[in-house]
Amino acid sequence: MFRLVLLASVLALSPLTATAAEIVRYRCVEWKAKHIHEKKKADTIAETLKKLKCEVKRHAHGDHEDVQYRCPKWQALNLKTHDEAHKWEKWLKEYGFQTEHKH
């Protein structure tokens, strides 16, 4: 949970189009879904995905919420450090995104 909040904070505070030495390109052509049992966590994930320019759908049912997402066109995330780029690349891959990391 802390990692999600940290990633969302970094994304909110760092403009996506700033000049940077590290670029992570990403896309997710097919719809993916995460089954989340905590509303606050679902909110954080959905907002992060929207800031990454993904299409997002949410469906609450039973004791959890499904957050569905896709991003069929390549997007670029410009980051200040190599470490930040690797953290974002890892997060994106965990969510099923195809990534490219350029220096």
Side-chain angles (χ1 to χ4, degrees), residues 41-72:
K41 185 175 178 181
D43 292 342
T44 300
I45 291 169
E47 286 305 311
T48 300
L49 290 164
K50 286 178 186 177
K51 287 178 182 176
L52 290 169
K53 300 181 182 176
C54 298
E55 298 174 59
V56 178
K57 297 178 186 178
R58 294 175 70 167
H59 304 284
H61 54 94
D63 64 344
H64 70 279
E65 187 167 342
D66 292 332
V67 177
Q68 295 177 300
Y69 55 94
R70 74 174 179 173
C71 184

Side-chain angles (χ1 to χ4, degrees), residues 7-54:
L7 288 173
S9 299
V10 169
L11 183 61
L13 297 174
S14 301
L16 295 176
T17 58
T19 303
E22 301 286 333
I23 299 170
V24 176
R25 293 184 67 227
Y26 59 91
R27 73 176 179 174
C28 182
V29 177
E30 301 296 325
W31 284 99
K32 302 283 184 188
K34 290 288 183 182
H35 305 280
I36 304 164
H37 293 274
E38 300 171 32
K39 184 182 181 337
K40 188 173 181 179
K41 185 175 178 181
D43 292 342
T44 300
I45 291 169
E47 286 305 311
T48 300
L49 290 164
K50 286 178 186 177
K51 287 178 182 176
L52 290 169
K53 300 181 182 176
C54 298

